[in-house]
Amino acid sequence: MASRNNDRRARIEQMRRAEQSRERRSRIITIAVSGVVVAGLVGFGVYALNKESEKKEQKVAEAKAPVIGEKSWDAKKLGRKHVAKAVTYPMKPPVGGDHNQVWMNCNGDVYKEAIPDMNAVHSLEHGAVWVTYNDKAPAADVTKLSAKVKETPYTLMSPVKDQAGAIMLSAWGKQLTVDSADDPRVSKFLTKYVQGPQTPEPGAACTNGQSGK
């Protein structure tokens, strides 16, 4: 009888040790898996942060780099007075100079007809980019540019029949000519100069000015 009890206790003890061993292995596996998951999450987080940092650095670099083919004028020589008399500008469309005291609305405004240069120049002073086109611009390009302007605050668009290029983008002291709305420099110019560092009056209004058709 005593022998059977001893054997029974021995089996119970053996089963208990086996169960404890399984529990230890389970804990070790759980800890190991958790460690791998945590390490993976940390690694992914670091990777994501690095990629985001790279994107920001790339944007900063792109913002500082000149847009290939752009023309520049000395902003100090352009003039910025509010005048009532007509102004003759040395470039078409103008990229700065004395101008009317009222700006053209430039909150993504697309004008189907020509607008006064003197009011548009005031918009450039506020940090707007003025997109213009002539009869050489394909209708599909005009449609694409209109859509882009409409979704971009501090921009305006209008036809300028006697400009040299089919499509031109103007900011204060800056101008770019392209042949197609799909030219990647269009987006680069907008990114760089909408409320860009060339802006004489950053943050000034682009609404409640003069409207057109």
Side-chain angles (χ1 to χ4, degrees):
M1 184 72 176
S3 178
R4 285 200 301 271
N5 288 337
N6 290 337
D7 291 342
R8 184 170 176 274
R9 283 195 295 269
R11 286 196 300 271
I12 292 173
E13 180 62 23
Q14 185 179 13
M15 292 172 60
R16 186 179 66 80
R17 286 196 297 268
E19 181 63 25
Q20 289 176 340
S21 179
R22 282 194 296 270
E23 289 178 354
R24 283 196 298 271
R25 286 196 300 271
S26 179
R27 284 197 298 270
I28 291 171
I29 291 171
T30 300
I31 292 171
V33 170
S34 298
V36 170
V37 171
V38 171
L41 291 173
V42 171
F44 177 77
V46 171
Y47 171 79
L49 288 173
N50 286 339
K51 293 298 288 184
E52 186 64 27
S53 178
E54 288 176 4
K55 288 181 181 178
K56 288 181 180 179
E57 290 176 359
Q58 184 178 358
K59 286 183 179 179
V60 170
E62 288 178 353
K64 291 182 178 179
V67 179
I68 296 174
E70 73 177 22
K71 294 181 179 180
S72 298
W73 287 262
D74 186 346
K76 294 180 181 179
K77 297 180 180 179
L78 289 174
R80 287 179 51 202
K81 295 179 182 178
H82 289 175
V83 295
K85 63 180 181 179
V87 177
T88 300
Y89 297 101
M91 73 291 290
K92 190 73 173 182
V95 298
D98 295 342
H99 49 268
N100 192 280
Q101 65 178 354
V102 181
W103 56 89
M104 288 300 299
N105 287 331
C106 46
N107 191 34
D109 293 85
V110 175
Y111 302 103
K112 300 297 183 181
E113 298 182 5
I115 59 177
D117 286 349
M118 292 178 63
N119 301 96
V121 168
H122 197 156
S123 300
L124 302 187
E125 186 182 39
H126 289 189
V129 168
W130 183 15
V131 180
T132 56
Y133 60 95
N134 63 18
D135 295 338
K136 296 178 183 178
D141 281 355
V142 174
T143 299
K144 288 180 182 179
L145 290 169
S146 297
K148 183 178 280 291
V149 167
K150 287 177 180 179
E151 65 183 18
T152 308
Y154 282 93
T155 63
L156 67 163
M157 179 174 171
S158 70
V160 176
K161 289 187 177 181
D162 55 346
Q163 69 180 26
I167 299 168
M168 300 178 73
L169 291 84
S170 303
W172 188 271
K174 305 289 182 180
Q175 194 167 77
L176 176 70
T177 300
V178 297
D179 295 324
S180 169
D182 294 324
D183 191 314
R185 293 177 298 167
V186 171
S187 293
K188 288 183 179 179
F189 194 92
L190 291 170
T191 298
K192 186 175 178 65
Y193 294 123
V194 168
Q195 284 288 286
Q198 85 293 339
T199 305
E201 297 180 3
C206 242
T207 57
N208 299 319
Q210 180 166 315
S211 59
K213 296 180 180 180

